[in-house]
Amino acid sequence: LWAGRVLSWLLYVGTVAAALAFARTLFDDERAALCVAALVAFLPMSARQAALLNNDVLAKFLSAVVLWLAARWLRRRGKSW
């Protein structure tokens, strides 16, 4: 059970990092990017899911990574693959 909770917490931290990278790709202002990351980090449902063993954390992590890759592609910073 502890291993699953640690994995859930790591995915939560990865989601916040992906949201920060997504916001840095979209916004030139660092303060706006940090506000987006704080919003993702401090949403009550996200924090609760990170503390429990839940598969929704994986879905949110994958969604954040896909949004970040899409933003990079749209800003022409990503690879064509």
Side-chain angles (χ1 to χ4, degrees):
L1 186 62
W2 282 103
R5 286 185 176 175
V6 168
L7 177 64
S8 182
W9 183 78
L10 290 174
L11 287 171
Y12 172 71
V13 171
T15 301
V16 173
L20 180 62
F22 171 73
R24 282 182 176 164
T25 302
L26 290 182
F27 304 121
D28 293 329
D29 188 14
E30 182 69 18
R31 290 176 295 168
L34 291 174
C35 286
V36 169
L39 179 69
V40 171
F42 295 119
L43 285 175
M45 196 60 180
S46 296
R48 182 180 182 279
Q49 287 176 350
L52 303 173
L53 186 58
N54 196 340
N55 62 347
D56 290 341
V57 179
L58 177 63
K60 287 183 181 183
F61 172 72
L62 293 176
S63 299
V65 169
V66 166
L67 284 173
W68 173 53
L69 292 174
R72 283 180 53 94
W73 181 76
L74 288 172
R75 295 283 300 245
R76 304 288 188 247
R77 295 182 188 169
K79 298 186 181 198
S80 61
W81 49 268

